[in-house]
Amino acid sequence: MIIIGELINSTRSKVKKAIEDKNEGYIRKLVKLQVEAGANYLDVNSAMTVKKEIEDLKWLIEVIQDETDVKLAIDTPAPEAMEAGIKLCKKPPLMNSITNEGKKEKLIKIAKEYNTELIALPLGSKKGLPVNLEDRLNEAKIILGDLEKEGINQDKIYLDVLILGIGSNPSGGRTAIQMAGECKKEFPGIKIIGGLSNISFGLPDRKLLNRVFLAMMIEAGLDGAIIDPSDKDLMETIIASEAITGRDKYCKSYIKYMRGKK
Ligand code: THG
């Protein structure tokens, strides 16, 4: 499973405050925590400080890269911020994300220019979020079609299934699970990912919901997840799910992990 650490996000109030206070120590702590827990990418988002998004994003990227070589995922819908961020990255980052909204062309141009990986988020060709499976698959086909037309290699593309909170969207869980299964079949060369913690917005015991959902998504075919890697129960759920679904052949990783714990 490809792990994208979600903790450095300005929608989290402590992170927003750390950005405002230029509290490097707090950001460095979040970097270490996620890298030591096994993150393959670190998501970076400063969009909550809208007016200063670019300036804050640059500051975050400098602080993070001073602490780790792990690749970044730049989490912004704004092409200007995306490009400014990419320019600072020592390794080509993962663009998070490109949708079917108006900024698509600009963002695809940036992806080509800097040869980055990218997350395609299936929404935006029509008003409102694609709540049902059919609309969501349609959005995915449109964006993947455009990326192909532009000559972007499949191995650069991560398709996000779009995960909506079950607190406000009763079908959010099942639609995401079905979407993962369908996309795995329809777009076999493309990695399927999702922002797992979205599922539990506003609900109690979020970690329980997150890890049960993650187990189901792994069975459906998920290749990567935007999660909090410092949640040990969640990481163990991944290891167990990979063993159960046969991705971890003869449970080698599972056994190694459990031996290491003793
Ligand atoms: N797909 C893609 N990118 C994404 C998402 C996605 N980026 C953002 C998000 N979804 C994934 N990251 C988070 C980060 C934080 C939370 C959830 C997902 C979260 N935050 C608390 C909340 O909103 O309740 C913050 C509380 C606080 O500290 O103030 O749950 O789906 N491509």
Side-chain angles (χ1 to χ4, degrees):
M1 183 79 19
I2 301 155
I3 310 289
I4 304 169
E6 73 185 8
L7 294 180
I8 306 176
N9 192 313
S10 60
T11 59
R12 301 179 68 235
S13 48
K14 283 188 186 159
V15 172
K16 183 162 182 250
K17 180 150 193 315
I19 296 171
E20 283 161 0
D21 298 346
K22 294 280 178 284
N23 180 353
E24 272 193 25
Y26 185 71
I27 302 300
R28 284 177 189 274
K29 213 174 78 183
L30 293 182
V31 172
K32 269 199 213 128
L33 185 68
Q34 297 185 94
V35 170
E36 280 166 15
N40 304 109
Y41 293 85
L42 297 179
D43 198 58
V44 194
N45 168 299
S46 65
M48 285 302 278
T49 57
V50 177
K51 278 198 189 136
K52 291 168 54 247
E53 182 185 5
I54 295 185
E55 189 187 314
D56 291 338
L57 187 65
K58 286 173 152 179
W59 177 76
L60 280 173
I61 291 174
E62 300 276 17
V63 174
I64 298 168
Q65 289 192 134
D66 191 47
E67 196 65 49
T68 187
D69 294 332
V70 168
K71 281 194 210 166
L72 304 184
I74 302 182
D75 190 340
T76 178
E80 305 73 30
M82 188 65 84
E83 185 163 16
I86 292 172
K87 280 185 172 159
L88 277 184
C89 289
K90 291 180 193 157
K91 292 183 186 164
L94 172 59
M95 285 174 66
N96 183 14
S97 54
I98 302 183
T99 70
N100 287 314
E101 287 160 319
K103 288 166 285 196
K104 177 162 61 176
E105 273 179 32
K106 272 192 186 165
L107 287 165
I108 292 179
K109 207 172 142 222
I110 294 172
K112 284 169 75 172
E113 184 173 347
Y114 297 93
N115 196 27
T116 63
E117 298 178 309
L118 64 94
I119 296 178
L121 194 62
L123 57 84
S125 80
K126 290 191 229 160
K127 271 208 180 124
L129 287 172
V131 171
N132 68 49
L133 184 63
E134 196 190 342
D135 290 349
R136 211 174 284 185
L137 272 170
N138 189 44
E139 293 280 356
K141 276 181 198 145
I142 294 172
I143 191 151
L144 294 178
D146 285 354
L147 292 171
E148 190 182 352
K149 232 184 292 160
E150 291 292 334
I152 291 184
N153 208 311
Q154 284 201 342
D155 66 8
K156 292 259 192 263
I157 306 173
Y158 293 70
L159 176 65
D160 193 312
V161 295
L162 185 61
I163 296 172
L164 303 175
I166 47 174
S168 48
N169 264 286
S171 61
R174 290 205 74 212
T175 305
I177 294 164
Q178 287 167 352
M179 181 77 180
E182 286 296 313
C183 291
K184 230 25 227 175
K185 271 190 275 165
E186 283 227 27
F187 318 116
I190 294 197
K191 291 176 280 290
I192 309 299
I193 65 155
L196 268 289
S197 343
N198 300 358
I199 200 73
S200 58
F201 275 133
L203 293 166
D205 291 290
R206 289 188 65 176
K207 287 184 170 179
L208 170 64
L209 293 168
N210 293 350
R211 64 180 182 266
V212 172
F213 179 51
L214 186 51
M216 294 175 177
M217 289 293 280
I218 289 173
E219 159 55 15
L222 201 72
D223 297 298
I226 307 172
I227 53 172
D228 171 5
S230 75
D231 179 343
K232 199 167 161 220
D233 291 337
L234 185 66
M235 295 300 274
E236 291 190 345
T237 300
I238 295 178
I239 293 167
S241 299
E242 290 188 327
I244 291 166
T245 56
R247 294 187 193 195
D248 173 14
K249 299 253 156 40
Y250 303 104
C251 307
K252 276 190 183 150
S253 300
Y254 178 82
I255 292 167
K256 194 169 160 215
Y257 175 84
M258 287 306 163
R259 279 191 183 141
K261 260 180 76 165
K262 300 244 164 69

PDB file of all heavy atoms in Angstrom, residues 15-37:
ATOM      1  N   VAL A  15      -2.160  22.802  12.753  1.00  0.00           N
ATOM      2  CA  VAL A  15      -1.237  23.060  11.644  1.00  0.00           C
ATOM      3  C   VAL A  15      -1.416  24.487  11.142  1.00  0.00           C
ATOM      4  O   VAL A  15      -0.450  25.199  10.884  1.00  0.00           O
ATOM      5  CB  VAL A  15      -1.451  22.032  10.499  1.00  0.00           C
ATOM      6  CG1 VAL A  15      -0.636  22.405   9.272  1.00  0.00           C
ATOM      7  CG2 VAL A  15      -1.095  20.633  10.975  1.00  0.00           C
ATOM      8  N   LYS A  16      -2.678  24.911  11.070  1.00  0.00           N
ATOM      9  CA  LYS A  16      -2.959  26.278  10.630  1.00  0.00           C
ATOM     10  C   LYS A  16      -2.244  27.264  11.552  1.00  0.00           C
ATOM     11  O   LYS A  16      -1.589  28.202  11.116  1.00  0.00           O
ATOM     12  CB  LYS A  16      -4.473  26.512  10.639  1.00  0.00           C
ATOM     13  CG  LYS A  16      -4.869  27.874  10.122  1.00  0.00           C
ATOM     14  CD  LYS A  16      -6.340  27.922   9.741  1.00  0.00           C
ATOM     15  CE  LYS A  16      -6.690  29.278   9.181  1.00  0.00           C
ATOM     16  NZ  LYS A  16      -7.553  30.060  10.074  1.00  0.00           N
ATOM     17  N   LYS A  17      -2.343  26.985  12.847  1.00  0.00           N
ATOM     18  CA  LYS A  17      -1.712  27.873  13.821  1.00  0.00           C
ATOM     19  C   LYS A  17      -0.180  27.829  13.677  1.00  0.00           C
ATOM     20  O   LYS A  17       0.488  28.868  13.717  1.00  0.00           O
ATOM     21  CB  LYS A  17      -2.136  27.470  15.243  1.00  0.00           C
ATOM     22  CG  LYS A  17      -1.542  28.339  16.316  1.00  0.00           C
ATOM     23  CD  LYS A  17      -2.434  28.451  17.537  1.00  0.00           C
ATOM     24  CE  LYS A  17      -1.984  29.582  18.478  1.00  0.00           C
ATOM     25  NZ  LYS A  17      -0.550  29.636  18.726  1.00  0.00           N
ATOM     26  N   ALA A  18       0.358  26.632  13.493  1.00  0.00           N
ATOM     27  CA  ALA A  18       1.816  26.502  13.339  1.00  0.00           C
ATOM     28  C   ALA A  18       2.305  27.271  12.117  1.00  0.00           C
ATOM     29  O   ALA A  18       3.384  27.877  12.139  1.00  0.00           O
ATOM     30  CB  ALA A  18       2.212  25.034  13.234  1.00  0.00           C
ATOM     31  N   ILE A  19       1.503  27.247  11.049  1.00  0.00           N
ATOM     32  CA  ILE A  19       1.899  27.995   9.841  1.00  0.00           C
ATOM     33  C   ILE A  19       1.879  29.496  10.160  1.00  0.00           C
ATOM     34  O   ILE A  19       2.825  30.222   9.853  1.00  0.00           O
ATOM     35  CB  ILE A  19       0.953  27.684   8.656  1.00  0.00           C
ATOM     36  CG1 ILE A  19       1.058  26.206   8.243  1.00  0.00           C
ATOM     37  CG2 ILE A  19       1.269  28.590   7.465  1.00  0.00           C
ATOM     38  CD1 ILE A  19       0.021  25.750   7.227  1.00  0.00           C
ATOM     39  N   GLU A  20       0.814  29.929  10.813  1.00  0.00           N
ATOM     40  CA  GLU A  20       0.694  31.352  11.144  1.00  0.00           C
ATOM     41  C   GLU A  20       1.824  31.818  12.063  1.00  0.00           C
ATOM     42  O   GLU A  20       2.351  32.917  11.912  1.00  0.00           O
ATOM     43  CB  GLU A  20      -0.666  31.621  11.794  1.00  0.00           C
ATOM     44  CG  GLU A  20      -1.786  31.659  10.765  1.00  0.00           C
ATOM     45  CD  GLU A  20      -3.181  31.459  11.377  1.00  0.00           C
ATOM     46  OE1 GLU A  20      -3.290  31.285  12.605  1.00  0.00           O
ATOM     47  OE2 GLU A  20      -4.139  31.468  10.594  1.00  0.00           O
ATOM     48  N   ASP A  21       2.198  30.952  13.012  1.00  0.00           N
ATOM     49  CA  ASP A  21       3.258  31.305  13.966  1.00  0.00           C
ATOM     50  C   ASP A  21       4.659  30.993  13.442  1.00  0.00           C
ATOM     51  O   ASP A  21       5.641  31.174  14.155  1.00  0.00           O
ATOM     52  CB  ASP A  21       3.074  30.525  15.285  1.00  0.00           C
ATOM     53  CG  ASP A  21       1.765  30.865  15.975  1.00  0.00           C
ATOM     54  OD1 ASP A  21       1.144  31.883  15.588  1.00  0.00           O
ATOM     55  OD2 ASP A  21       1.352  30.099  16.871  1.00  0.00           O
ATOM     56  N   LYS A  22       4.724  30.442  12.226  1.00  0.00           N
ATOM     57  CA  LYS A  22       6.002  29.963  11.669  1.00  0.00           C
ATOM     58  C   LYS A  22       6.722  29.063  12.682  1.00  0.00           C
ATOM     59  O   LYS A  22       7.926  29.197  12.945  1.00  0.00           O
ATOM     60  CB  LYS A  22       6.906  31.144  11.269  1.00  0.00           C
ATOM     61  CG  LYS A  22       6.354  31.984  10.105  1.00  0.00           C
ATOM     62  CD  LYS A  22       6.627  31.316   8.768  1.00  0.00           C
ATOM     63  CE  LYS A  22       6.076  32.064   7.565  1.00  0.00           C
ATOM     64  NZ  LYS A  22       4.618  31.941   7.384  1.00  0.00           N
ATOM     65  N   ASN A  23       5.943  28.136  13.228  1.00  0.00           N
ATOM     66  CA  ASN A  23       6.460  27.204  14.223  1.00  0.00           C
ATOM     67  C   ASN A  23       7.074  25.985  13.525  1.00  0.00           C
ATOM     68  O   ASN A  23       6.422  24.964  13.320  1.00  0.00           O
ATOM     69  CB  ASN A  23       5.298  26.795  15.158  1.00  0.00           C
ATOM     70  CG  ASN A  23       5.727  25.813  16.234  1.00  0.00           C
ATOM     71  OD1 ASN A  23       6.846  25.316  16.237  1.00  0.00           O
ATOM     72  ND2 ASN A  23       4.816  25.519  17.155  1.00  0.00           N
ATOM     73  N   GLU A  24       8.348  26.126  13.165  1.00  0.00           N
ATOM     74  CA  GLU A  24       9.048  25.056  12.447  1.00  0.00           C
ATOM     75  C   GLU A  24       9.065  23.752  13.218  1.00  0.00           C
ATOM     76  O   GLU A  24       8.943  22.677  12.645  1.00  0.00           O
ATOM     77  CB  GLU A  24      10.525  25.446  12.258  1.00  0.00           C
ATOM     78  CG  GLU A  24      10.799  26.229  11.031  1.00  0.00           C
ATOM     79  CD  GLU A  24      12.303  26.310  10.746  1.00  0.00           C
ATOM     80  OE1 GLU A  24      13.057  25.413  11.182  1.00  0.00           O
ATOM     81  OE2 GLU A  24      12.698  27.276  10.081  1.00  0.00           O
ATOM     82  N   GLY A  25       9.264  23.871  14.520  1.00  0.00           N
ATOM     83  CA  GLY A  25       9.400  22.685  15.370  1.00  0.00           C
ATOM     84  C   GLY A  25       8.193  21.766  15.253  1.00  0.00           C
ATOM     85  O   GLY A  25       8.341  20.540  15.153  1.00  0.00           O
ATOM     86  N   TYR A  26       7.016  22.358  15.235  1.00  0.00           N
ATOM     87  CA  TYR A  26       5.796  21.545  15.162  1.00  0.00           C
ATOM     88  C   TYR A  26       5.712  20.815  13.814  1.00  0.00           C
ATOM     89  O   TYR A  26       5.377  19.628  13.746  1.00  0.00           O
ATOM     90  CB  TYR A  26       4.551  22.418  15.386  1.00  0.00           C
ATOM     91  CG  TYR A  26       3.279  21.596  15.432  1.00  0.00           C
ATOM     92  CD1 TYR A  26       3.017  20.763  16.521  1.00  0.00           C
ATOM     93  CD2 TYR A  26       2.375  21.616  14.377  1.00  0.00           C
ATOM     94  CE1 TYR A  26       1.871  19.981  16.561  1.00  0.00           C
ATOM     95  CE2 TYR A  26       1.222  20.841  14.407  1.00  0.00           C
ATOM     96  CZ  TYR A  26       0.974  20.023  15.501  1.00  0.00           C
ATOM     97  OH  TYR A  26      -0.152  19.238  15.538  1.00  0.00           O
ATOM     98  N   ILE A  27       6.045  21.515  12.739  1.00  0.00           N
ATOM     99  CA  ILE A  27       6.005  20.895  11.406  1.00  0.00           C
ATOM    100  C   ILE A  27       7.056  19.775  11.323  1.00  0.00           C
ATOM    101  O   ILE A  27       6.776  18.676  10.839  1.00  0.00           O
ATOM    102  CB  ILE A  27       6.247  21.952  10.300  1.00  0.00           C
ATOM    103  CG1 ILE A  27       5.195  23.085  10.372  1.00  0.00           C
ATOM    104  CG2 ILE A  27       6.255  21.309   8.912  1.00  0.00           C
ATOM    105  CD1 ILE A  27       3.748  22.666  10.205  1.00  0.00           C
ATOM    106  N   ARG A  28       8.241  20.046  11.830  1.00  0.00           N
ATOM    107  CA  ARG A  28       9.302  19.031  11.823  1.00  0.00           C
ATOM    108  C   ARG A  28       8.855  17.777  12.569  1.00  0.00           C
ATOM    109  O   ARG A  28       9.141  16.650  12.168  1.00  0.00           O
ATOM    110  CB  ARG A  28      10.586  19.571  12.466  1.00  0.00           C
ATOM    111  CG  ARG A  28      11.350  20.533  11.573  1.00  0.00           C
ATOM    112  CD  ARG A  28      12.577  21.086  12.297  1.00  0.00           C
ATOM    113  NE  ARG A  28      13.183  22.154  11.535  1.00  0.00           N
ATOM    114  CZ  ARG A  28      14.091  21.965  10.569  1.00  0.00           C
ATOM    115  NH1 ARG A  28      14.499  20.743  10.282  1.00  0.00           N
ATOM    116  NH2 ARG A  28      14.587  22.981   9.902  1.00  0.00           N
ATOM    117  N   LYS A  29       8.137  17.994  13.664  1.00  0.00           N
ATOM    118  CA  LYS A  29       7.643  16.866  14.455  1.00  0.00           C
ATOM    119  C   LYS A  29       6.671  16.010  13.624  1.00  0.00           C
ATOM    120  O   LYS A  29       6.740  14.779  13.628  1.00  0.00           O
ATOM    121  CB  LYS A  29       6.927  17.416  15.707  1.00  0.00           C
ATOM    122  CG  LYS A  29       7.065  16.540  16.941  1.00  0.00           C
ATOM    123  CD  LYS A  29       6.472  17.211  18.182  1.00  0.00           C
ATOM    124  CE  LYS A  29       4.957  17.104  18.197  1.00  0.00           C
ATOM    125  NZ  LYS A  29       4.338  17.808  19.339  1.00  0.00           N
ATOM    126  N   LEU A  30       5.802  16.674  12.881  1.00  0.00           N
ATOM    127  CA  LEU A  30       4.834  15.940  12.047  1.00  0.00           C
ATOM    128  C   LEU A  30       5.533  15.194  10.903  1.00  0.00           C
ATOM    129  O   LEU A  30       5.084  14.128  10.480  1.00  0.00           O
ATOM    130  CB  LEU A  30       3.782  16.890  11.472  1.00  0.00           C
ATOM    131  CG  LEU A  30       2.823  17.541  12.475  1.00  0.00           C
ATOM    132  CD1 LEU A  30       1.822  18.422  11.735  1.00  0.00           C
ATOM    133  CD2 LEU A  30       2.089  16.486  13.299  1.00  0.00           C
ATOM    134  N   VAL A  31       6.630  15.780  10.419  1.00  0.00           N
ATOM    135  CA  VAL A  31       7.398  15.110   9.361  1.00  0.00           C
ATOM    136  C   VAL A  31       7.976  13.812   9.918  1.00  0.00           C
ATOM    137  O   VAL A  31       7.768  12.732   9.367  1.00  0.00           O
ATOM    138  CB  VAL A  31       8.540  16.018   8.841  1.00  0.00           C
ATOM    139  CG1 VAL A  31       9.451  15.245   7.892  1.00  0.00           C
ATOM    140  CG2 VAL A  31       7.984  17.258   8.158  1.00  0.00           C
ATOM    141  N   LYS A  32       8.683  13.923  11.031  1.00  0.00           N
ATOM    142  CA  LYS A  32       9.348  12.756  11.630  1.00  0.00           C
ATOM    143  C   LYS A  32       8.355  11.659  11.963  1.00  0.00           C
ATOM    144  O   LYS A  32       8.572  10.483  11.672  1.00  0.00           O
ATOM    145  CB  LYS A  32      10.061  13.181  12.927  1.00  0.00           C
ATOM    146  CG  LYS A  32      11.478  13.597  12.709  1.00  0.00           C
ATOM    147  CD  LYS A  32      12.245  13.540  14.051  1.00  0.00           C
ATOM    148  CE  LYS A  32      13.286  14.625  14.072  1.00  0.00           C
ATOM    149  NZ  LYS A  32      13.253  15.498  15.237  1.00  0.00           N
ATOM    150  N   LEU A  33       7.267  12.074  12.597  1.00  0.00           N
ATOM    151  CA  LEU A  33       6.233  11.128  13.008  1.00  0.00           C
ATOM    152  C   LEU A  33       5.749  10.301  11.822  1.00  0.00           C
ATOM    153  O   LEU A  33       5.660   9.072  11.879  1.00  0.00           O
ATOM    154  CB  LEU A  33       5.064  11.943  13.603  1.00  0.00           C
ATOM    155  CG  LEU A  33       3.902  11.194  14.226  1.00  0.00           C
ATOM    156  CD1 LEU A  33       4.356  10.490  15.501  1.00  0.00           C
ATOM    157  CD2 LEU A  33       2.767  12.178  14.574  1.00  0.00           C
ATOM    158  N   GLN A  34       5.470  10.966  10.710  1.00  0.00           N
ATOM    159  CA  GLN A  34       4.899  10.276   9.552  1.00  0.00           C
ATOM    160  C   GLN A  34       5.942   9.453   8.797  1.00  0.00           C
ATOM    161  O   GLN A  34       5.650   8.363   8.316  1.00  0.00           O
ATOM    162  CB  GLN A  34       4.262  11.294   8.599  1.00  0.00           C
ATOM    163  CG  GLN A  34       3.102  12.048   9.245  1.00  0.00           C
ATOM    164  CD  GLN A  34       2.399  12.958   8.260  1.00  0.00           C
ATOM    165  OE1 GLN A  34       1.411  12.581   7.654  1.00  0.00           O
ATOM    166  NE2 GLN A  34       2.918  14.157   8.080  1.00  0.00           N
ATOM    167  N   VAL A  35       7.162   9.984   8.715  1.00  0.00           N
ATOM    168  CA  VAL A  35       8.202   9.258   7.989  1.00  0.00           C
ATOM    169  C   VAL A  35       8.572   7.991   8.761  1.00  0.00           C
ATOM    170  O   VAL A  35       8.669   6.901   8.188  1.00  0.00           O
ATOM    171  CB  VAL A  35       9.433  10.168   7.762  1.00  0.00           C
ATOM    172  CG1 VAL A  35      10.616   9.359   7.239  1.00  0.00           C
ATOM    173  CG2 VAL A  35       9.087  11.292   6.792  1.00  0.00           C
ATOM    174  N   GLU A  36       8.718   8.133  10.072  1.00  0.00           N
ATOM    175  CA  GLU A  36       9.064   6.961  10.882  1.00  0.00           C
ATOM    176  C   GLU A  36       7.956   5.919  10.860  1.00  0.00           C
ATOM    177  O   GLU A  36       8.203   4.726  10.989  1.00  0.00           O
ATOM    178  CB  GLU A  36       9.400   7.393  12.322  1.00  0.00           C
ATOM    179  CG  GLU A  36      10.829   7.924  12.414  1.00  0.00           C
ATOM    180  CD  GLU A  36      11.126   8.683  13.708  1.00  0.00           C
ATOM    181  OE1 GLU A  36      10.334   8.578  14.672  1.00  0.00           O
ATOM    182  OE2 GLU A  36      12.154   9.405  13.731  1.00  0.00           O
ATOM    183  N   ALA A  37       6.728   6.363  10.667  1.00  0.00           N
ATOM    184  CA  ALA A  37       5.598   5.423  10.614  1.00  0.00           C
ATOM    185  C   ALA A  37       5.463   4.776   9.233  1.00  0.00           C
ATOM    186  O   ALA A  37       4.621   3.905   9.035  1.00  0.00           O
ATOM    187  CB  ALA A  37       4.308   6.157  10.979  1.00  0.00           C
TER     188      ALA A  37
END
